[in-house]
Amino acid sequence: MNILDDLNPEQKKAVMHDKGPLLILAGAGSGKTRVLTYRAAYLIEHRNVNPWNILAVTFTNKAAREMKERIDRLVGYGSENIWVSTFHSTCVRILRRFIDRIGYERSFSIYDDDDSRALMRDVCKYLDIDTKRIPEKSILNAISRAKDELIGPEEFEKNTGRDYMLKKQAEAYYEYQKRLKASNALDFDDLIFKTVELFMTDESALAYYQNRFQYIMVDEYQDTNTAQFRLIQLLASGVNEYGEREYNLCVVGDDDQSIYKFRGANIQNILSFERAFPNTKVIKLEQNYRSTKSILSAANEVIANNIGRKPKTLWTANEQGEPVTYTLFDTDMDEAESVTGEIKRMVDNNQARYNDFAILYRTNAQSRMFEEKLIRKNIPYKIIGSVNFYARKEIKDLLAYMKTIDNGLDNIAVKRIINVPRRGIGAATIEKVDAYAINNGMSFYDALVRCEQIPGLERSCAKIMSFVSIIEGLRSRLYQENYNLTELIDDILDATGYLKELEEEGSDEARERIANIDELVNKLVTYADEAEEAPTLSGFLEEVALVSDIDSFDESEDYLVLMTLHSAKGLEFPYVYICGMEEGIFPSYMAMYSDNPQDEIEEERRLCYVGITRARKRLSLTAARQRMMRGDISFNKPSRFIKEIPEHLLKINMPDRKTMTSFAPDDYQPSRMNYKPFAFSEPKQFAGNNLGELEYGVGDTVRHFRFGLGKVTAITMGGRDYEVTVDFEEYGTKKLMASFAKLTKAE
């Protein structure tokens, strides 16, 4: 059978496209993964393209694994030579081969968020940066945004102007990168940043991969940032035998599902693709195979309110299905009780399994109420977006031992384990070693080896050398013939006494940590069995460093899933509940009162569209008249996204108050406010000193604990708080919420 027989006309056009740039606008559930996999097979079978010359890039390991499995089934022999991987995995493979050309060793470590925070703490301490005034997290966020835009420390410093905070961030950026390089380490953003740097400074490395990857396919293109765009542009800029640029680049994406602006995603990459790559062929995939007509109609109606989008309308040949339900509860407690109760009834009545359901929400904080109800009802569940397995203490400790054995230059890894388990090496000793290493331009580990030369360490040196001996002994075993990674972890546990200490503790927590260590051993065995090349310690550390939380999601296990709307992208479920559909929650308060509310609200609307299109059979939207937020009861209006769905597509439920409040504590009293479900009003403007609640007004000079003195230029009422615009003498104009800013009138 011809593989083209399985495709609809537009999918077929996309698969058969040969030379030149191709933009596939693939709506939710329109079979984009099928198009990419079939296109790879078609190029090999009908265009005689060598599998070696095809690169397919996506964003998650889960998506890459699914794509690779499908290609393997279609192509068979030779498919293993196609590169199918995430952006970060692709860059790691490139850097492992060529990073020495930009001054790093090929055995570089990859820092996760915890490692980066630990390094930034050291940097701030060294530079005497007040982290109460300029938090470490804000500096790391600024550095991440800069790397997304391919802005290095020098250019960042040039752009600081007279801004004190930016100047401090620039100092930290420079020192942070200096220490990363000294540790022969890259953070996550560096993986792409340094690959682009390699290609822009080494023509032979770029030419090698341009020749290698003659056909490039990129999934979820709407989520790319500037650095990723530049990476793909460089790789696709090779010339053919006639010296012509063909840009054999196929990107698949949906501007309506661009929801990662906060991570640096630039929606203009997809909206302006035709300008970046001349003679682009554009194909729209608008037939949805996932959802019912009712669900799809609701999604189309919501997203149509966005202005910054390419026009498209999804349609489906599926059944009409149930109408979308919208339920307004009295309280968030009622909301959680009703949703979890309905799920349990359906499962008890054999209408569904727990893994058919997903509860989605805008922020992680909303999960608590649902968790409490699920536990009481004995419903199995998993939160996607909770603590990553590899972020747990015992796993981080053992990985740090492995990193130290693999790359002794990794200062953060060495510092983490030098006193784990406890060896009597205290903070004062570590500070002296660190200072000696910095002053002498060497790694922390090399300074440990030379501890006898460090003044003031006479009493600690024996303990330090005991640690060094453990590392050197383990490192030497790694090079023994037939020595495998499971033996290495056993030797680490034995040599350090880590496992023995947990066994002696004997607590429930210790037993859980031992079980986690056993699971890490299982992962090592799986890695060794499934590795495409000879398994190595560097390869294992690389694999676990690139794992994301969504990779742990297993659709075959029978548990209910709780997750944020951002985490749900790329997944689908028969039954979906989107909870907390209220103004100030979804769309978020920050989006509503940002400097650019139209763009931010459009991003929130795209997020709503993503949530709606996760549902296959039934979609339930819920809101609450009152909700506990930050310790206070808030009264929020229903989300504007509910209003954007025509009433003929909605089944609106208003539960009886007596029924719903029966779930609440005995002393609970429902709100008596006069509530209008679809009444929306614009924020009111105030001027002068007519606001009794504030001690200052427009035109007054006020003082802020961080920004100093400034003049109030506007005050706006938003919900239950005032938004105050202040022109600060040193920091420029800021928009602040009065209850959080704690502004005081200057005398």
Side-chain angles (χ1 to χ4, degrees):
M1 184 182 70
N2 191 317
I3 61 172
L4 298 177
D5 294 340
D6 294 336
L7 306 174
N8 68 37
E10 295 305 303
Q11 290 175 333
K12 193 177 297 185
K13 289 179 188 177
V15 167
M16 295 177 68
H17 178 83
D18 186 9
K19 302 288 187 180
L22 173 64
L23 170 61
I24 303 173
L25 294 173
S30 62
K32 64 181 177 62
T33 304
R34 166 172 285 200
V35 168
L36 286 175
T37 53
Y38 276 48
R39 187 165 189 271
Y42 185 84
L43 288 171
I44 294 168
E45 293 182 15
H46 298 276
R47 292 288 185 264
N48 297 317
V49 176
N50 190 324
W52 174 270
N53 296 134
I54 298 174
L55 169 66
V57 185
T58 188
F59 274 83
T60 67
N61 292 315
K62 182 177 183 294
R65 187 166 55 247
E66 179 184 350
M67 193 184 301
K68 190 168 182 60
E69 289 171 354
R70 290 197 191 185
I71 292 175
D72 287 345
R73 288 197 295 269
L74 285 171
V75 176
Y77 179 76
S79 65
E80 68 277 4
N81 292 318
I82 301 175
W83 271 29
V84 183
S85 62
T86 64
F87 269 99
H88 291 98
S89 295
T90 298
C91 289
V92 169
R93 291 181 71 174
I94 293 170
L95 292 172
R96 290 288 182 208
R97 186 181 183 102
F98 287 114
I99 198 171
D100 56 320
R101 299 191 182 184
I102 55 173
Y104 289 77
E105 295 182 16
R106 294 182 183 180
S107 60
F108 61 85
S109 294
I110 302 171
Y111 277 11
D112 62 15
D113 290 342
D114 287 342
D115 299 328
S116 294
R117 283 193 292 268
L119 178 57
M120 185 53 70
R121 280 195 294 272
D122 289 347
V123 167
C124 290
K125 187 174 182 180
Y126 175 74
L127 295 176
D128 197 25
I129 293 175
D130 182 358
T131 53
K132 291 183 179 178
R133 184 174 184 183
I134 310 176
E136 296 148 5
K137 186 175 181 180
S138 72
I139 300 174
L140 286 169
N141 287 341
I143 292 172
S144 179
R145 289 193 298 270
K147 290 180 180 180
D148 285 346
E149 296 299 321
L150 295 175
I151 297 172
E154 294 79 11
E155 185 180 353
F156 188 94
E157 185 178 15
K158 290 177 184 176
N159 296 335
T160 58
R162 295 165 56 189
D163 191 302
Y164 172 81
M165 188 175 295
L166 287 179
K167 283 186 177 297
K168 284 296 181 184
Q169 289 177 347
E171 290 178 37
Y173 188 3
Y174 181 83
E175 185 66 24
Y176 176 78
Q177 289 304 118
K178 178 182 173 183
R179 294 193 179 206
L180 275 173
K181 190 167 186 179
S183 294
N184 194 37
L186 304 178
D187 66 16
F188 245 56
D189 297 309
D190 274 332
L191 295 176
I192 297 171
F193 186 94
K194 291 298 178 183
T195 305
V196 173
E197 179 184 320
L198 168 69
F199 286 161
M200 293 181 71
T201 57
D202 192 297
E203 292 183 3
S204 63
L206 175 58
Y208 174 85
Y209 284 105
Q210 285 177 337
N211 292 330
R212 167 79 189 262
F213 301 130
Q214 296 175 16
Y215 287 84
I216 299 172
M217 297 186 290
V218 183
D219 192 15
E220 304 287 7
Y221 187 72
Q222 76 281 346
D223 294 335
T224 55
N225 58 33
T226 299
Q228 289 161 335
F229 164 79
R230 184 63 177 140
L231 172 70
I232 293 301
Q233 185 185 48
L234 286 166
L235 283 172
S237 296
V239 296
N240 61 21
E241 63 269 26
Y242 306 107
E244 301 168 335
R245 280 204 177 125
E246 290 181 328
Y247 291 118
N248 291 328
L249 171 63
C250 167
V251 302
V252 183
D254 181 6
D255 51 301
D256 289 335
Q257 296 187 71
S258 179
I259 60 172
Y260 294 125
K261 183 179 178 182
F262 70 99
R263 293 183 189 169
N266 184 354
I267 193 173
Q268 290 304 316
N269 288 349
I270 190 167
L271 294 179
S272 304
F273 185 83
E274 296 99 313
R275 288 201 297 272
F277 299 95
N279 303 314
T280 292
K281 172 75 171 177
V282 179
I283 296 174
K284 296 181 182 180
L285 304 183
E286 297 175 294
Q287 182 175 1
N288 176 283
Y289 294 92
R290 176 188 301 159
S291 306
T292 64
K293 286 185 173 71
S294 294
I295 293 169
L296 210 56
S297 295
N300 284 331
E301 292 286 348
V302 170
I303 201 61
N305 289 277
N306 270 8
I307 298 171
R309 64 186 293 260
K310 289 180 177 287
K312 67 182 106 42
T313 302
L314 297 189
W315 63 275
T316 184
N318 293 342
E319 63 182 2
Q320 183 66 35
E322 300 179 32
V324 175
T325 63
Y326 164 60
T327 308
L328 177 64
F329 296 97
D330 258 3
T331 70
D332 51 351
M333 187 183 302
D334 295 340
E335 177 186 51
E337 177 66 37
S338 178
V339 169
T340 55
E342 184 175 287
I343 291 171
K344 184 167 179 59
R345 282 193 298 275
M346 289 184 67
V347 174
D348 288 347
N349 293 334
N350 296 317
Q351 294 174 269
R353 290 164 52 88
Y354 285 121
N355 61 6
D356 290 331
F357 297 92
I359 298 175
L360 310 181
Y361 35 75
R362 180 62 182 83
T363 64
N364 280 307
Q366 292 170 252
S367 71
R368 180 189 64 83
M369 191 72 73
F370 290 100
E371 285 190 82
E372 291 178 0
K373 301 297 183 183
L374 292 168
I375 291 169
R376 289 176 186 173
K377 291 179 170 60
N378 199 29
I379 296 175
Y381 71 93
K382 181 172 184 176
I383 298 181
I384 304 296
S386 57
V387 178
N388 186 304
F389 174 78
Y390 297 104
R392 294 168 183 169
K393 181 185 182 305
E394 59 278 6
I395 305 304
K396 290 279 291 182
D397 290 344
L398 291 175
L399 291 176
Y401 270 104
M402 293 181 184
K403 288 180 180 180
T404 301
I405 294 165
D406 186 55
N407 172 24
L409 297 176
D410 189 339
N411 294 340
I412 296 300
V414 181
K415 288 179 185 178
R416 181 182 181 92
I417 58 171
I418 189 172
N419 197 42
V420 177
R422 289 182 291 274
R423 301 183 176 91
I425 301 174
T429 298
I430 293 172
E431 285 185 13
K432 290 175 184 176
V433 175
D434 199 27
Y436 182 85
I438 293 170
N439 293 335
N440 290 275
M442 63 178 64
S443 71
F444 185 82
Y445 185 80
D446 285 340
L448 291 177
V449 175
R450 295 165 177 77
C451 67
E452 294 177 350
Q453 302 172 23
I454 303 175
L457 292 189
E458 294 80 7
R459 297 175 60 183
S460 303
C461 198
K463 299 171 185 175
I464 291 173
M465 291 311 298
S466 174
F467 169 75
V468 170
S469 296
I470 290 173
I471 298 300
E472 292 300 320
L474 292 167
R475 187 175 288 162
S476 65
R477 294 180 206 177
L478 192 62
Y479 299 102
Q480 295 174 0
E481 190 175 355
N482 298 323
Y483 187 78
N484 60 50
L485 296 180
T486 53
E487 290 177 291
L488 174 64
I489 195 170
D490 287 340
D491 287 343
I492 290 172
L493 293 169
D494 289 341
T496 61
Y498 196 103
L499 190 61
K500 182 180 179 182
E501 184 174 270
L502 289 174
E503 289 171 342
E504 289 175 350
E505 181 181 327
S507 65
D508 289 341
E509 181 184 352
R511 283 189 284 272
E512 184 176 341
R513 291 173 65 188
I514 291 171
N516 288 336
I517 292 171
D518 291 339
E519 186 58 32
L520 180 63
V521 175
N522 293 341
K523 172 60 183 176
L524 274 164
V525 173
T526 302
Y527 162 74
D529 290 343
E530 297 179 354
E532 294 181 4
E533 301 174 359
T536 63
L537 179 56
S538 294
F540 174 73
L541 292 171
E542 173 187 312
E543 182 167 309
V544 300
L546 298 176
V547 167
S548 64
D549 188 60
I550 195 66
D551 295 326
S552 65
F553 175 54
D554 185 350
E555 293 98 327
S556 65
E557 292 189 31
D558 193 23
Y559 51 67
L560 168 74
V561 173
L562 299 172
M563 68 178 90
T564 65
L565 287 148
H566 283 101
S567 297
K569 189 164 175 294
L571 303 176
E572 59 182 75
F573 304 87
Y575 305 100
V576 169
Y577 294 84
I578 305 180
C579 303
M581 295 289 293
E582 300 145 36
E583 293 284 290
I585 296 177
F586 191 33
S588 71
Y589 191 86
M590 294 292 288
M592 291 165 60
Y593 299 104
S594 66
D595 291 337
N596 194 347
Q598 179 173 322
D599 284 355
E600 297 297 329
I601 291 296
E602 291 212 352
E603 176 107 351
E604 294 282 294
R605 187 174 284 111
R606 291 193 291 269
L607 187 57
C608 183
Y609 174 81
V610 166
I612 291 172
T613 54
R614 298 313 92 195
R616 296 206 300 263
K617 290 184 179 180
R618 185 199 297 171
L619 173 68
S620 302
L621 309 174
T622 67
R625 288 188 173 92
Q626 59 184 56
R627 183 179 301 274
M628 182 74 75
M629 295 180 67
R630 304 182 195 89
D632 294 325
I633 298 293
S634 65
F635 302 89
N636 300 315
K637 298 174 183 177
S639 170
R640 68 191 68 192
F641 304 143
I642 297 292
K643 188 179 181 183
E644 290 170 357
I645 302 174
E647 288 193 21
H648 73 270
L649 294 176
L650 282 176
K651 178 183 177 184
I652 300 175
N653 297 323
M654 296 290 179
D656 180 73
R657 287 195 172 195
K658 291 182 180 179
T659 302
M660 297 315 302
T661 55
S662 65
F663 300 123
D666 293 338
D667 59 353
Y668 169 75
Q669 294 295 322
S671 168
R672 295 287 187 257
M673 68 180 293
N674 183 17
Y675 195 84
K676 296 180 181 179
F678 290 106
F680 296 94
S681 60
E682 296 299 320
K684 298 178 182 178
Q685 296 290 329
F686 296 85
N689 282 316
N690 296 325
L691 303 174
E693 296 87 341
L694 300 177
E695 65 175 34
Y696 50 82
V698 173
D700 287 339
T701 299
V702 293
R703 186 184 303 278
H704 185 268
F705 74 98
R706 177 183 297 174
F707 303 132
L709 292 175
K711 185 177 181 179
V712 178
T713 58
I715 299 176
T716 304
M717 181 63 188
R720 299 175 67 228
D721 203 354
Y722 296 98
E723 179 188 80
V724 185
T725 304
V726 185
D727 186 8
F728 289 101
E729 295 174 358
E730 187 175 354
Y731 290 90
T733 301
K734 305 285 185 184
K735 290 187 178 182
L736 309 167
M737 303 317 298
S739 61
F740 292 101
K742 308 295 185 187
L743 298 168
T744 56
K745 187 174 179 180
E747 298 299 332

